[in-house]
Amino acid sequence: MAEPTDEQLKEYADKLPEVYRTALAAFIQIFDDGTAIRRAGTQVGFPRICSEVLEAHPALSDADVKAILDQLINHSFIKDVVPYKGLEDFPGNQFRRYVPTLLGERLFGAVTGVEPVPEAIPALPEPAWA
């Protein structure tokens, strides 16, 4: 599949149903002063996403939230990751974590307006005297 232009992605983002916007907003950390940040590559657990979606859309269920996340996975916006060895086959969603793909990072920016801070801290320069 070809990569969308920024304009195409913005058009797509504008068409997203509210439940998807709410799920994507769960990847943003909002502080008491209203500052919103999102670190690129941050994994977010199913319980947090589920809580955000169900609070905003109380008629939905955990299964609906899983279906929303499955759609985002199927469209290559996020990946399902297993954070701890041995939980690969654990039934249920409580240990599931999700991380944006590169395309997902772009979509998050188009939907939320919050651009991510870098995934990793910069390397410390080598001392000139070494």
Side-chain angles (χ1 to χ4, degrees):
M1 179 164 80
E3 284 290 310
T5 65
D6 289 340
E7 294 78 25
Q8 289 171 321
L9 202 55
K10 179 68 176 133
E11 280 181 32
Y12 182 80
D14 290 342
K15 296 177 190 174
L16 280 180
E18 189 60 33
V19 293
Y20 291 95
R21 293 174 174 283
T22 304
L24 295 175
F27 285 80
I28 298 173
Q29 184 174 8
I30 300 178
F31 295 95
D32 290 340
D33 66 358
T35 304
I37 65 164
R38 185 172 57 80
R39 188 174 196 113
T42 297
Q43 296 179 11
V44 177
F46 180 81
R48 177 172 173 180
I49 299 168
C50 193
S51 174
E52 297 282 331
V53 172
L54 296 182
E55 183 177 323
H57 308 278
L60 298 180
S61 69
D62 289 15
D64 294 323
V65 176
K66 180 68 170 101
I68 290 166
L69 294 169
D70 287 344
Q71 286 294 315
L72 290 169
I73 290 169
N74 291 340
H75 285 80
S76 300
F77 294 122
I78 63 173
K79 294 186 290 186
D80 181 0
V81 296
V82 178
Y84 307 109
K85 190 170 179 68
L87 295 178
E88 296 87 356
D89 298 319
F90 193 86
N93 296 311
Q94 64 266 35
F95 294 115
R96 290 283 172 219
R97 299 187 68 75
Y98 299 88
V99 65
T101 62
L102 292 176
L103 180 59
E105 292 287 1
R106 291 180 58 209
L107 179 65
F108 290 164
V111 168
T112 66
V114 178
E115 292 300 319
V117 295
E119 186 172 347
I121 60 171
L124 185 66
E126 291 296 323
W129 61 86

